[in-house]
Each structure stands twice: as C-alpha cells, then as structure tokens.
C-alpha cells in the first residue's frame, strides 16, 4: 500500500485507501515539510515516528495507531520487556489474533507460542537493537490449519516520550520464498539439463553470436577449452565454420526467427590444428527476450558420426548390391512381408520393358499368368505357408506380351525375434528348359511310337507266314507271299536300324564321342551312290542330280552320306504331292563346295528355320503328327557338318517347298587319312 503526505493550510495529511484523512497536527506540519517523493510507505512511517518524539505520548500513540492501521504491512510496538503495547489491523488480520489476545501480552505468549523463538527473542533485546537494528530476519510461522508462513522481520528502537520502544515490521514473504525456491529450482534444473546433458547445447547472444552458455559436451566437441565463453562463435571460436556456410545459416535464423534443422550434416572442426570431419543432427532455435525480440540463437546438437558413417556404409552396400543385382541375369526383387515389391533390378526392367516407377506402381502378380496366380495367392494368404521359402514355377509376362516360364524363389529375412522383415526374390527364366523338357517327353512318346511301328509290322508279317506254315497244308511256295513279306520285313528292319542308329549317334554327340574317319573323296560320287540307293527304296519319287562342279572334300564318307540320306528322305517325306527332288552340286561365291537338296513340299515357316536344327525340335502345326521321326536327324546333320568345318542352312516358305544346303571346304587332294 502506498502512503503519501502533503501540507494543506498548515496541516499534515496522509492520503491512503482512496484519500482517507489520517491525521491533523498543525505543529507537526510546521516542524517538518513532508514530501510525496519519499521512497516507500515504510520510509514515511519512519519519518512520522521520528517526528513524534517529544510529543504527548497518549496523543501521539493514538496518532501512531491511526498511521499504522492504514499501512498495509503488519506492525507491532514492544516495550523494553517485549510486551506488546501496540499492533495495527494488518497484524491482527494476518495472524488471526484479536486486540485482547495481543495487547499487554509478551511476545512469546502470543497465540500458541509460535513467537517463542529463543533466537528471535535474544535478537530483540533492546540493547542489541540499538547497536544493530534487525533487518530481514526470517522465521517460519505455524498458522495451524492454514499451514505455515515465512515471515521477514525488521526491528528498530524508537523514542516514544521518555520510553524506548521496539517497532517490528512483519512482512509475509511466503509466496516470495516459494517463488525464489521455484526460481532456484528452475534455474538448477535448467543448468542441470544443459550442463549434464550428453547433447551439445550452446546459447549464442546477438547477431555476433557471442557464446553465452556452452555445456561440457559442446566445449569438448569444439575442442577449444572453457575460454570460449564470451567470445564470438564464428569469428574466434570456430572460424572454419564460416567457409562451410554455417554463419549464413545462423544469421538467417536470427533475422527471420525460423528455426533450422539438419540431419547427419557433415561439418569440419579444427582440433589441434587439424580439421576433423564429424556428422551432426542439430537445430538452431531463435531466442527471444521478455519483449519478444530475438536476441540470440540456441544450438542443440547431437554428434552422430558413427551412425552417419554406418548409414553411408549401408548406402554404399546397397549401391553395390544394386549394381551387382543389375549385372545378374536373374530377375532380383525385394518386398515387404505382405508381398508388396519394393525393388526390381535391371533384368526385370529389360524383361518387362517398364521403368522402375511403373513396376513399383503395380501389384507384381499382374505379371503372372492367370493360371499360375493361384499358386501365389495360396502362399501369401496362408500364414502356415510362410514358414517355408517360396519356390514355384511361374509364367511371367514379358515386354512382347508373351508368358515365359520362370523358377521363382523368395527367401524371408527375419529379425532377431524371428519376425519377418522383408523378402528377397529371384526369378530365373527356365522357358527353354521347360520346352526342352516337353520335347523330351514328346520324344519319348515318339520313340515309343516309332520303334513300336516297325516292330509291330515285322511281327505281323512273321505271324502271317508262321500261320501259313503251321496250317499243315501242302502249299506251293510260289503261291506264298514270301517275297513281298520279306521285302516289308526288310524295310521295317532298315527303318528300325536307322532309328536306333540316330539314337546312338545322339548319345555320342552329347558325350563328345562321335568319331570321324576322314579321307579325300569326290562328293559327286557320294551323292550319286546315295541317290541310287534311295531310288531303289522310293520308287515313286524322282530324284534329279545337277552337277555344276566336281570337287573333292576331306571328311568322313559315311557320316556325310548319312547327312545326304537324311536330307533327301526328309525332302521326300515332306513332299506328299510332288515327289520331284533336285540335288545340285556346286561351289558358292566363297569357294566352298556345296550340295543343295530342294523339294516342292509343304515348306517351313521362317520362325522355325533356326529351330529345326535343335535337338528334339519338330515343326508344330496341323501336320505335326502326320510325319514320323525323332526330331534329331537335322540336329545330327548340323553336328556332322560343323565338325567338318562346314555349315548347313535352309531356305523355305510355307507351301513353296524347302531347300537344304550344306557347304564344306574344298580339298586339294593332298590330305592324308586321319581320325
């Protein structure tokens, strides 16, 4: 509460509590001029008490009571024996005491003895107070159910008439003490947080970034010692930071008030004259004063060098993995536990003709043949299936719109607790193997059929002849169908022998045991011999030989004869409507000796021109099952010709016939026989 005094018509007025008149004393007003610029009500009260000396005590006591009752603070007046002779209203109210319970009571008898504090009573001896007025003496006062209060007591000696009295000013500082305690606790926690934190913390003042606070972790990281406090961070402590652009970032935070965050930022610090690289997560936060003005920047950072280097190593390993995966012809992918793919290697991109973004933007089963999707769904929808790795044969769609067979495997990678983290999958194209497997199956069926046909025929003719002989009749041999039956048996045995020979040759080729007995001979003579033999067996066909050149070759006569016979019999077999076959002997532009076998048969589609020389391959179509054979004759022919350093090729169109040509080096005739 504020108390003001002024002189009006020779009277002293105190204005307080809305202008209530406190006292009138003409002589007192004349004896001293009171001014309204005194420091505090307490100063005014002291001055009033001082000026009351020598006045009539009772009158002055009444005047003093009037003054004290209108001052907000609690006051009591004690005689030399510490007997209470005066107390103001604030005292009664604050300590819940009545005038009857207070006046003429000794201080140590007040209330329930809360004032019976030996140390206080000793200090209040008048002899002590005269020498050294009591100031800021703190006690804890028990208020009963209201709890305790902390009081601050000032005591001084005043002269009241002829008596000396002790005036106590009692201030309740409970809230102040609590506030001070809270403030100290807050400061302690603040300091504890900053200085004991493993994080790197600093507070920089002003735009010059003066280091005001820096904890041990930050000082150790800077490597410049504790002398950095009070110095500009960039200009003196870490000048190397300016070259790395950090000063500009600090100033931007200071000027704009926007914080700056960084993750694993590389920074160089100079320690012992050497720049050391470290990685840091940090935030630069603007600091504001009580007016809301920015007056500094706070730095909270964490050194994450080991983690950053680990991340870099992981990224480098991932980069190497991707490079390695891109070099692998297999289609490599990774995915989440629910089957969502997160990575495709380059082989996937090349196979599908799609970009990585396009592939990742679609569910991978859209690439699976509709008939195979069930295999995938059963696996991913059944939790029990996840106990084993994925291993299925699937048909996958390529960029040409074709489904090709793949062996798709996926292994699940688990964490230390056995939980599925992700998948690594590999798809290997096995389309050729599947086709080969099918051809083998077809080959076995065909072998069974081809071998069974001549055997059945031979057995039939033999059974016919045996039934005639076993009949017991006297038969004329000339009337028996011996000649025709034996011819058929001989033909079927020849066919059976040829089939067995082809199978044996196939085995020799596969095991690299096909031997060649080479010699110099005229290819023209070999062609003529083969044609003569075939004309005897295929009387309905007309085979014409055209000799443009006559030349020698160095090779295995029997094996090359095998090629000729196979080529001519194929020409006859696949020319059901026109049996005219032309065999031409000539030298091509490169000087190679060539033999051409041309028919006017059903022809071969262009897409099959290369495939017909593959093992077990047979041209598909409506006529596929019409013509017998293993599908190895042309394969063997190609192997034999290539082992003679020659080549074999075909020219053909559907419905226009075919021309098979094999070319061999022309021999000078000086080569010797060799194996």
């Amino acid at each position: 509460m504020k108390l003001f005094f002024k002189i009006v018509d020779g009277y002293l007025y105190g204005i307080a509590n809305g202008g209530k008149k406190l006292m009138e004393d003409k002589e007192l007003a004349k004896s001293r001029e009171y001014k309204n610029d005194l420091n505090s009500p307490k100063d005014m009260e002291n001055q009033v008490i001082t000026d009351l000396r020598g006045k009539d005590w009772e009158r002055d006591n009444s005047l003093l009571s009037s003054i004290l009752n209108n001052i907000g603070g609690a006051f009591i007046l004690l005689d030399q024996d510490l007997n209470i002779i005066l107390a103001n209203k604030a005292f009664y109210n604050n300590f819940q005491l009545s005038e009857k319970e207070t006046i003429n009571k000794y201080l140590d008898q007040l209330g329930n003895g809360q004032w019976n504090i030996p140390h206080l009573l000793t200090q209040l001896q008048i002899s002590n107070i005269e020498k050294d007025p009591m100031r800021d003496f703190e006690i804890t006062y028990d208020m009963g159910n209201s709890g305790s209060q902390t009081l601050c007591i000032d005591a001084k000696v005043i002269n009241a008439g002829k008596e000396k009295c002790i005036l106590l000013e009692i201030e309740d500082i409970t809230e102040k003490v609590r506030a001070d305690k809270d403030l100290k606790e807050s400061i302690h926690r603040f300091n504890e947080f900053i200085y004991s934190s493993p994080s790197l913390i600093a507070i920089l003042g002003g735009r010059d970034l003066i280091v005001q606070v820096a904890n041990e972790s930050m000082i150790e990281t800077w490597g410049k010692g504790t002398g950095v406090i009070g110095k500009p961070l960039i200009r003196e402590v870490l000048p190397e930071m300016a070259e790395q652009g950090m000063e500009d970032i600090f100033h931007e935070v200071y000027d704009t008030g926007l914080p700056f965050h960084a993750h694993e930022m590389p920074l160089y610090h100079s320690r012992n004259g050497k720049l050391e690289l470290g990685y840091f997560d940090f935030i630069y936060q603007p600091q504001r004063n009580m007016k809301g003005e920015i007056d500094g920047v706070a730095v909270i950072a964490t050194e994450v060098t080991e983690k950053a280097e680990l991340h870099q190593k992981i990224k480098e390993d991932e980069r190497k993995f991707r490079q390695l995966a891109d070099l692998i012809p297999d289609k490599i992918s990774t995915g989440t536990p629910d089957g969502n793919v997160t990575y495709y290697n380059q082989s996937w991109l090349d196979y599908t003709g799609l970009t990585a973004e396009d592939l990742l933007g679609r569910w991978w089963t859209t690439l699976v043949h509709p008939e195979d999707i069930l295999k995938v769904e059963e696996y991913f929808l059944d939790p029990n299936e996840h106990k084993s790795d994925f291993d299925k044969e699937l048909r996958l769609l390529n960029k040409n719109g074709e489904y090709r067979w793949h062996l798709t495997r996926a292994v699940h990678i688990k964490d230390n607790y056995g939980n599925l983290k992700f998948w690594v999958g590999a798809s290997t194209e096995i389309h050729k193997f599947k086709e080969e497997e099918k051809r083998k199956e077809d080959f076995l069926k065909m072998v069974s059929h081809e071998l069974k046909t001549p055997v059945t025929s031979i057995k039939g003719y033999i059974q016919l002849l045996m039934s005639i002989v076993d009949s017991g009749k006297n038969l004329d041999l000339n009337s028996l169908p011996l000649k025709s039956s034996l011819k058929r048996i001989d033909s079927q045995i020849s066919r059976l022998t040829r089939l067995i020979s082809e199978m044996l040759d196939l085995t020799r080729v596969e095991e690299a045991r096909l031997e060649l007995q080479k010699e110099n001979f005229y290819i023209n003579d070999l062609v003529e011999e083969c044609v003569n033999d075939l004309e005897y067996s295929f009387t309905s066909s007309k085979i014409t030989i055209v000799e443009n050149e006559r030349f020698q070759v160095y090779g295995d006569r029997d094996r090359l004869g095998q090629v000729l016979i196979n080529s001519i019999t194929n020409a006859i077999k696949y020319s059901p409507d026109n049996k005219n076959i032309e065999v031409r002997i000539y030298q091509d532009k490169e000087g190679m000796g060539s033999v051409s076998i041309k028919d006017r048969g059903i022809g071969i589609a262009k897409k099959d021109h290369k495939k017909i020389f593959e093992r077990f391959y047979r041209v598909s179509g409506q006529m596929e099952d019409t013509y017998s054979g293993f599908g190895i004759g042309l394969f063997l022919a190609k192997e034999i010709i290539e082992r003679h350093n020659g080549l074999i090729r075909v020219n053909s169109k559907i419905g226009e016939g075919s021309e098979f040509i094999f070319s061999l080096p022309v021999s000078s005739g000086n080569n010797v026989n060799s194996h």
Side-chain angles (χ1 to χ4, degrees), residues 529-543:
E529 291 175 11
C530 292
V531 169
N532 289 335
D533 291 341
L534 290 171
E535 282 181 334
Y536 178 78
S537 301
F538 299 95
T539 56
S540 62
S541 298
K542 182 180 179 180
I543 305 173

Side-chain angles (χ1 to χ4, degrees), residues 332-386:
I332 306 298
S333 58
T334 60
T336 57
D338 59 1
N340 188 33
V341 178
T342 56
Y343 166 74
Y344 290 98
N345 73 338
Q346 187 62 41
S347 293
W348 267 111
L349 309 185
D350 296 338
Y351 180 78
T352 61
L354 300 173
T355 64
E357 291 75 14
D358 291 336
L359 272 174
L360 292 172
R362 63 192 296 178
W363 186 247
W364 71 278
T365 53
T366 58
L367 300 172
V368 180
H369 194 284
E371 295 177 5
D372 299 333
I373 289 179
L374 186 60
K375 301 177 186 178
V376 180
E377 291 179 343
E378 286 178 349
Y379 182 84
F380 283 102
L381 294 178
D382 187 354
N384 294 324
E385 290 282 358
H386 289 189

Side-chain angles (χ1 to χ4, degrees), residues 132-196:
D132 186 12
M134 179 189 294
R135 291 188 179 277
D136 300 330
F137 187 91
E138 291 188 14
I139 66 170
T140 300
Y141 186 82
D142 186 3
M143 293 293 292
N145 295 333
S146 301
S148 60
Q149 292 179 328
T150 302
L151 306 178
C152 179
I153 301 175
D154 286 357
K156 65 177 67 176
V157 175
I158 63 172
N159 294 318
K162 299 178 180 180
E163 299 294 331
K164 291 184 177 181
C165 298
I166 301 173
L167 180 66
L168 300 186
E169 179 186 0
I170 307 166
E171 182 182 0
D172 184 353
I173 60 170
T174 304
E175 293 301 323
K176 178 182 177 183
V177 169
R178 288 176 184 169
D180 288 345
K181 182 180 179 182
D182 291 343
L183 179 60
K184 290 177 181 178
E185 182 66 25
S186 177
I187 293 173
H188 172 75
R189 290 178 181 176
F190 173 78
N191 290 333
E192 189 70 14
F193 167 75
I194 289 180
Y195 291 102
S196 66

Side-chain angles (χ1 to χ4, degrees), residues 63-80:
L63 179 60
L64 181 58
S65 295
S66 178
I67 294 173
L68 295 180
N69 284 334
N70 287 277
I71 295 178
F75 291 88
I76 57 175
L77 191 64
L78 308 174
D79 63 16
Q80 297 187 34

Side-chain angles (χ1 to χ4, degrees), residues 519-521 551-555 664-671:
E519 61 180 322
N520 281 311
F521 65 92
F551 54 86
Q552 286 186 323
V553 296
Y554 180 66
L664 299 168
V666 175
S667 172
S668 62
N670 297 323
N671 293 322

Side-chain angles (χ1 to χ4, degrees), residues 562-631:
Q562 182 181 340
V563 173
L564 273 169
I565 291 173
N566 181 274
S567 300
I568 295 172
T569 54
N570 277 347
I572 294 171
K573 181 167 62 173
Y574 292 104
S575 302
D577 300 326
N578 190 333
K579 301 295 185 180
N580 294 321
I581 308 299
E582 179 184 279
V583 180
R584 188 163 65 96
I585 305 168
Y586 66 98
Q587 284 187 257
D588 60 22
K589 296 179 181 179
E590 285 76 26
M592 298 280 283
S594 301
V595 177
S596 163
I597 299 93
K598 187 174 183 180
D599 64 63
R600 295 173 179 80
I602 61 175
I604 302 169
K606 187 175 181 62
K607 65 182 180 66
D608 294 319
H609 285 188
K610 291 184 178 180
K611 294 180 180 180
I612 58 175
F613 294 104
E614 295 177 2
R615 181 178 47 182
F616 307 134
Y617 188 83
R618 298 181 73 202
V619 176
S620 61
Q622 294 180 351
M623 305 293 289
E624 176 184 0
D625 297 330
T626 304
Y627 305 101
S628 62
F630 289 165

